[in-house]
Amino acid sequence: MKKAIALISGGLDSMLAAKVVQEQGVHVEGLNFYTGFCVEGHTHAIRKKRQVKPRRNNALWVAEQLGIKLHIIDVAEEYKDIVLNPKHGYGQNLNPCLDCKIFMVDRARTWGVAERDFDFIVTGEVIGQRPKSQRKETMPLIARESGADDLLLRPLCARNLAPTRPEREGWVDRDALYGFHGRNRKPQMALAESFGFSDYAQPAGGCCFLTDAQYASKLADLWDARGARDYELDDIMLLKVGRHIRPARHYKLIVGREEGENRYLEGYRNRFLHLRTAGFPGPLALIDGAPGPRDVTLAARILARYSRGRTLPRVDVSAHHVNGVVELLNVEPLPPTELPAAWHV
Amino acid sequence: MSPRQTGANVARGGRQQLDVRGLLCPLPVIRTQERVESLSTGTLLDILATDPGVLQDIPAWCRVHGHGLVATARDDTCIRITIEVCET
């Protein structure tokens, strides 16, 4: 029996692609990459309002539906180079979709074909589905630059492409593959129905935070403020959380917006100067950067503006320095008119 | 693949602990997967976590890989999930 390794994002297309190959008697296992920018998981855990929804990892859920093993690989560190130096550039925001796809297919090839006994690689790509990475001219480029060459099978659009080795050698029947193209989702939905799949994830903006304009803006701000295009995993995690307010280039506040975010930020408080309101509930604010005393007072006024004491003339705020010193401040909450929109990252 | 509800079998493979407190899903699943790769069949692994997502994700991961879910427990500060490494 031939063996295929399928990239599983948790969305419908990769689920269908794996299923189509499975239906041809091929043994399929799934591969899912953790880049640090995945919408999966973290956001569900952080934001309280999302916790009312059933929490699930869609890639694992897809694997269960298909009855296949799913291997989740942490590529966050090596993925940095893709984000920072994309050979093929960015999409609409900071999404290096084409380089990302090449990287993932390459990793699937290495992990599955070179290091294990898988015969070919399966993806859910559809020509015309995505403006940056899924175009007629990018399909051969991805195959070539990933090193997968003709071991890369796209079952959903294979009939629009030259036959790959799995097709030529009869490992799969090309006639039982598909010729989907464009952004129309109806063919995929019909195929899902034919397989009896009624519940599947339909991520509107993709599965990556880098496609999100607001997130990309925060990442660009981080690079600008630090004077270097680099990041650590904690940096990109914190960009997913809270209001980011930058009164000056040398520091910014990260203010929790609700209980779940405050709880998440608590995990970082020992590594940052952080502020809390005293005497009544309020958000937690981390200060990233190197603020001076006046900056800390302004940050306290901003925090007070987001606390329940926002209408009071003065509010007590405690500033907890990284060296353990706690400074007590009594400040006037900053009126909304004095908080420029440009400070919101 | 349905989960294998197994009893403790300490004698076969021993018992180990994995601390993934502070990590958010899917990292606890990834760390579990990495640890299990080095363990022999029958080993019990106690996973300590804080992200409630593990209550869904680790049992799901066990189901797709054929490992056993032995027990889950939760208190105010920590979630403990015990799995048994099975032949897959």
Side-chain angles (χ1 to χ4, degrees):
Chain A
M1 180 187 276
K2 290 295 176 184
K3 294 177 70 175
I5 190 74
L7 293 185
I8 299 291
S9 68
L12 178 60
D13 289 358
S14 58
M15 181 187 195
L16 291 174
K19 180 70 175 173
V20 166
V21 172
Q22 232 183 346
E23 287 289 295
Q24 296 206 22
V26 173
H27 173 86
V28 178
E29 295 188 19
L31 204 53
N32 176 264
F33 293 112
Y34 172 72
T35 64
F37 296 100
C38 313
V39 173
E40 255 333 304
H42 291 123
T43 14
H44 298 184
I46 295 167
R47 300 299 302 275
K48 186 188 174 194
K49 67 180 182 185
R50 305 242 179 130
Q51 289 181 8
V52 296
K53 295 180 183 174
R55 198 197 307 270
R56 77 180 184 199
N57 177 304
N58 281 317
L60 277 169
W61 182 84
V62 162
E64 277 202 87
Q65 303 312 300
L66 298 173
I68 64 172
K69 288 185 178 179
L70 179 77
H71 310 276
I72 309 177
I73 312 293
D74 180 359
V75 295
E77 191 58 35
E78 59 194 292
Y79 194 75
K80 268 188 188 180
D81 191 46
I82 303 301
V83 177
L84 299 174
N85 306 300
K87 178 181 170 188
H88 297 286
Y90 297 109
Q92 199 169 5
N93 296 301
L94 285 175
N95 43 312
C97 291
L98 186 49
D99 291 84
C100 177
K101 181 62 76 175
I102 294 166
F103 169 82
M104 290 187 176
V105 174
D106 182 24
R107 281 301 310 261
R109 179 190 62 79
T110 309
W111 189 94
V113 180
E115 298 174 359
R116 290 168 181 77
D117 59 347
F118 290 89
D119 299 294
F120 62 102
I121 302 148
V122 169
T123 71
E125 292 164 284
V126 171
I127 294 170
Q129 182 82 215
R130 302 249 178 208
K132 180 74 180 171
S133 60
Q134 297 188 31
R135 291 179 283 124
K136 180 97 178 174
E137 57 271 32
T138 61
M139 295 286 172
L141 187 146
I142 291 166
R144 188 174 61 248
E145 294 200 3
S146 66
D149 294 317
D150 63 354
L151 290 180
L152 175 57
L153 180 70
R154 287 103 165 189
L156 301 187
C157 64
R159 281 159 69 175
N160 298 326
L161 297 165
T164 59
R165 189 173 166 205
E167 296 159 276
R168 292 197 311 272
E169 305 228 352
W171 303 346
V172 297
D173 177 6
R174 181 174 170 91
D175 292 338
L177 303 177
Y178 294 86
F180 299 165
H181 61 89
R183 298 180 73 93
N184 183 9
R185 305 287 296 160
K186 285 181 181 169
Q188 285 95 318
M189 291 161 80
L191 184 58
E193 190 176 354
S194 76
F195 285 136
F197 299 145
S198 56
D199 177 17
Y200 43 82
Q202 290 275 37
C207 54
C208 175
F209 265 108
L210 293 168
T211 63
D212 181 271
Q214 205 173 1
Y215 185 89
S217 161
K218 288 179 189 170
L219 182 56
D221 167 78
L222 183 86
W223 290 341
D224 180 57
R226 293 188 181 171
R229 283 165 50 87
D230 199 4
Y231 63 82
E232 298 301 325
L233 189 59
D234 283 338
D235 292 325
I236 60 175
M237 292 293 110
L238 284 170
L239 294 182
K240 300 176 183 178
V241 185
R243 290 183 179 86
H244 289 238
I245 301 167
R246 183 177 295 285
R249 191 161 186 248
H250 60 283
Y251 77 103
K252 74 171 176 179
L253 290 81
I254 305 171
V255 185
R257 288 174 292 195
E258 41 78 54
E259 189 187 333
E261 289 192 342
N262 286 329
R263 198 167 46 242
Y264 181 71
L265 293 176
E266 287 280 351
Y268 287 91
R269 71 180 195 279
N270 292 335
R271 286 188 258 168
F272 291 86
L273 164 63
H274 62 278
L275 307 177
R276 297 177 186 282
T277 49
F280 46 80
L284 173 67
L286 306 182
I287 314 294
D288 182 27
R294 285 187 181 180
D295 300 325
V296 174
T297 301
L298 177 59
R301 294 186 66 201
I302 293 170
L303 175 71
R305 177 253 176 278
Y306 288 107
S307 76
R308 288 195 189 166
R310 66 175 69 90
T311 58
L312 299 176
R314 310 285 298 182
V315 168
D316 289 329
V317 173
S318 56
H320 303 252
H321 293 264
V322 179
N323 62 5
V325 171
V326 179
E327 184 183 358
L328 294 174
L329 303 164
N330 182 262
V331 298
E332 178 192 352
L334 195 71
T337 51
E338 293 181 30
L339 186 62
W343 288 5
H344 287 274
V345 180
Chain B
M1 281 178 245
S2 58
R4 296 182 205 174
Q5 299 289 344
T6 59
N9 191 351
V10 181
R12 283 170 62 203
R15 187 162 201 148
Q16 294 203 16
Q17 184 169 292
L18 175 67
D19 188 348
V20 290
R21 285 177 291 185
L23 297 184
L24 297 179
C25 286
L27 286 171
V29 179
I30 294 172
R31 300 293 172 254
T32 299
Q33 179 181 276
E34 290 167 348
R35 175 64 71 85
V36 165
E37 281 172 9
S38 69
L39 299 177
S40 56
T41 301
T43 304
L44 293 180
L45 182 63
D46 294 312
I47 302 152
L48 306 181
T50 44
D51 179 3
V54 299
L55 292 167
Q56 296 287 332
D57 291 355
I58 289 181
W61 181 84
C62 286
R63 288 193 296 272
V64 304
H65 285 273
H67 298 299
L69 178 66
V70 177
T72 60
R74 183 179 188 176
D75 62 27
D76 288 344
T77 59
C78 186
I79 296 163
R80 177 187 290 264
I81 300 178
T82 305
I83 67 173
E84 181 179 356
V85 179
C86 295
E87 189 74 48
T88 64

